[in-house]
Amino acid sequence: MQFADRLNNVETSAIRELFKLLGKPGIISFAGGFPDSAMFDVEGIKEAANKALTEEAGGALQYGATEGYNPLREQLAAFMGTKGVDVAPDGLIVTTGSQQALDLLGKTMISPGDKVIVEGPTFLATIQCFRLYGAELISAPIDANGVKTDELEKLIAQHKPKFVYLIPTFGNPSGALLSLERRKKVLELAVKYQTLVVEDDPYGDLYFDAAPPPSILSLSKDVPRSRELIAHCGSMSKVLSPGLRVGWMIGPAELLANATMCKQFSDAHTSTFAQATAARYLKAGRMPATLANVRKVYGERALAMGAALKRELGDAVEFTQPQGGLFFWARLTGAGGKTKDAAKFAKKAIEQGVAFVPGAPFYAGNPDASTFRLSFATADVAKIEQGIGRLKLAL
C-alpha cells in the first residue's frame, strides 16, 4: 500500500516504544502522563450520568450539535468565568479532549511548510500532530519561569510563524510556570506581530499552594486588541476524568467556525452522553471539592518526590520543584562521573524496576539528551520513595 506523504513527517513515539518494556512485574512507573484513577469522583460522575439519563435521555443519547451540547457550553462558560474569563456559551466549542482541539488547529491553520513556534521542550503529541500537517516547528527556549519572551520575540520576528503554541501553566513535560510579567509580554507580542497565540491549559487547576497567575486569555482583557489573537484550549481530563474525553476551545469566531466545520467531518460531535454527564457534574457544584482533593494529594506526592530526588541522587540531577501539574523535569549533570545520557539511564532504570521518560523526544529541535520527565501522579508517597531509591541504583 502507498500511504499519504504526510506520514513521512512523523516518527513512531519513543515513549510508546518505552512503554513496551513496562510489562515487567513490579515496575514502579513514573512514565505516564495521566491522573491517578483513585482520584476520580466516581460517585459524583455516576450521579451526573444518572441525572443526564433521567432529566434528558433524548438529548444525552441522540446525535448533537457539532459545536457542543448547549447545557455543557453554558457550564463551561460559567467555569471559565470563575477563572476571570468572560466568554459566552457560543464563544467556545466542545472538543473530544483538548487533544482534538490541537488537531483542529492543525487542520484549520497549518499548510505544508508553515512555521509554528513551540516551547523546547513541549507536549510530544503536539509535535507529532503539527508535523503531520506539514508544519516546520521552531523551538523557543524555556526556563523555570516558562518561555523566554526575549528569545520568543526574536523567533517571531525572524520566522513570522502561523502561530505560537504554549503550555504556560505547569507545562508538559517541563512543569514550568510562565510568570505574570512574561504572560503580559506574550500578549504584547501577539499584538505587535499580529500572531495567533495558542494557550493550552490542561493543568492550570492543579496548583498545590498559591494559585498561578491568570491565564493569558484572562489577561487579554487588559491588553487592547489581543483577545482576537488568543486561542485557549481546556480539558476535563486531568481534573475530572480522561475517559469522558471532554475538552473545549475558545478563540476568534472565524477560527471556531472553521474548526467546527473540520470537526463535523471527523467525528460529527463529541459524545453527547459524556457532555451531558459533564454538564450535570459541573452544575452539581462538586468540582471545587474534587479539585481541593487532587491538589492536596498531588502536592504531597510532589514534595515527596523532590525530597527523595535530593536525598538519593544529590548533585547528579538538577530540577525545579513544581508548583503544580503532574511532572518533574530533571537534568543529569554528570556529577561524580555518572551518566548524562537519559536514554541509557532509562534502560538501566527499567532493569532496576522503575520507569521514566527520556527528555529528547519532547524537543522539536536541538534535543537535550540529559533531560528526563518523572510523573508523581499515580504513585503514592511510599512508592515514590521506593522508586527514587531504585533510580539511585540505576545511576
Side-chain angles (χ1 to χ4, degrees), residues 58-81:
L61 299 176
Q62 185 55 275
Y63 283 112
T66 304
E67 295 91 335
Y69 177 67
N70 207 54
L72 177 59
R73 295 171 87 191
E74 291 172 353
Q75 290 298 322
L76 290 174
F79 181 61
M80 293 302 296

Side-chain angles (χ1 to χ4, degrees), residues 16 31 39 91 125 131 264 293 316 338 357:
R16 191 168 65 200
M39 298 292 101
R131 280 185 174 155
Q264 195 169 28
N293 183 44
K338 297 181 176 67
V357 181

Side-chain angles (χ1 to χ4, degrees), residues 47-284:
E47 181 181 300
N50 287 335
K51 276 192 174 181
L53 293 173
T54 303
E55 294 174 357
E56 197 194 356
L61 299 176
Q62 185 55 275
Y63 283 112
T66 304
E67 295 91 335
Y69 177 67
N70 207 54
L72 177 59
R73 295 171 87 191
E74 291 172 353
Q75 290 298 322
L76 290 174
F79 181 61
M80 293 302 296
T82 66
K83 299 193 279 187
V85 174
D86 181 16
V87 61
D90 62 1
L92 61 85
I93 63 171
V94 179
T95 58
T96 304
S98 58
Q99 182 69 52
Q100 186 185 46
L102 302 180
D103 183 64
L104 292 173
L105 283 162
K107 283 178 177 172
T108 56
M109 297 296 298
I110 298 172
S111 298
D114 281 347
K115 294 180 178 181
V116 174
I117 295 177
V118 300
E119 293 161 303
T122 193
F123 182 37
L124 178 60
T126 300
I127 295 174
Q128 295 172 317
C129 173
F130 292 167
R131 280 185 174 155
L132 186 66
Y133 292 110
E136 178 186 341
L137 299 183
I138 311 298
S139 193
I142 68 167
D143 58 22
N145 293 310
V147 69
K148 297 179 179 179
T149 47
D150 290 346
E151 296 294 323
L152 177 62
E153 179 166 14
K154 293 175 187 175
L155 292 172
I156 292 173
Q158 178 183 351
H159 295 286
K160 299 176 176 58
K162 207 64 172 288
F163 60 87
V164 175
Y165 170 82
L166 303 174
I167 315 175
T169 310
F170 315 129
N172 178 3
S174 68
L177 178 62
L178 189 65
S179 68
L180 178 61
E181 180 185 0
R182 290 186 185 181
R183 288 170 193 248
K184 292 177 179 177
K185 181 65 173 179
V186 165
L187 286 165
E188 291 167 7
L189 294 178
V191 174
K192 180 178 180 179
Y193 294 97
Q194 288 297 290
T195 300
L196 178 71
V197 173
V198 176
E199 177 181 36
D200 196 5
D201 189 30
Y203 308 101
D205 290 306
L206 297 179
Y207 56 86
F208 303 146
D209 294 310
S215 67
I216 292 173
L217 179 63
S218 174
L219 291 169
S220 67
K221 62 180 176 287
D222 300 323
V223 180
R225 304 185 307 283
S226 65
R227 176 69 183 254
E228 286 300 297
L229 292 165
I230 306 299
H232 178 97
C233 305
S235 174
M236 289 278 117
S237 292
K238 305 302 186 294
V239 296
L240 184 56
S241 160
L244 285 175
R245 307 308 303 131
V246 170
W248 62 95
M249 179 162 63
I250 300 168
E254 191 175 11
L255 171 61
L256 294 185
N258 282 314
T260 299
M261 178 180 66
C262 290
K263 179 175 169 60
Q264 195 169 28
F265 303 152
S266 61
D267 69 355
H269 58 80
T270 298
S271 163
T272 46
F273 181 58
Q275 290 186 75
T277 298
R280 266 60 180 193
Y281 188 90
L282 289 171
K283 188 176 181 180

